[in-house]
């Protein structure tokens, strides 16, 4: 069976949705849940230990996710 375009993207990105990443960043960005969700475990641990870089890193990640500059580690977002 031939895979549809969105199925290929979901397989590549692990099914990561932009809106989920954005909401996680808004509500739990200081705890690095957004970084863990996007697959950046190492950076997530550092961000968690510093409580979102004392708020600065969390704010930067929020902006980067909002403008879609920060993408999942292994691909792009699925729509």
């Amino acid at each position: 069976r031939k895979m549809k375009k969105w199925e290929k993207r979901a397989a590549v990105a692990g099914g990561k949705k932009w809106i989920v990443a954005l909401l996680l960043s808004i509500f739990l960005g200081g705890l690095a849940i957004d970084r863990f969700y996007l697959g950046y475990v190492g950076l997530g641990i550092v961000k968690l230990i510093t409580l979102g870089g004392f708020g600065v890193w969390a704010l930067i990640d929020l902006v980067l996710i909002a403008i879609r500059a920060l993408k999942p580690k292994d691909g792009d977002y699925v729509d």
Side-chain angles (χ1 to χ4, degrees):
R1 147 179 126 97
K2 190 173 180 181
M3 290 179 74
K4 295 179 183 174
K5 186 177 181 180
W6 66 269
E7 289 176 315
K8 289 180 185 177
R9 287 194 319 230
V12 170
K16 305 292 190 247
K17 293 185 177 260
W18 172 77
I19 191 67
V20 173
L22 183 63
L23 291 172
L24 288 173
S25 186
I26 291 169
F27 295 110
L28 299 170
L31 298 175
I33 303 303
D34 53 350
R35 284 285 179 162
F36 290 119
Y37 176 73
L38 293 175
Y40 299 101
V41 177
L43 289 173
I45 292 170
V46 174
K47 186 177 174 183
L48 177 63
I49 291 170
T50 62
L51 294 176
F54 305 106
V56 176
W57 191 353
L59 182 62
I60 291 170
D61 276 354
L62 175 61
V63 172
L64 290 175
I65 291 171
I67 64 172
R68 295 182 184 230
L70 181 60
K71 299 180 186 282
K73 185 175 184 178
D74 55 356
D76 203 352
Y77 294 109
V78 292
D79 295 322

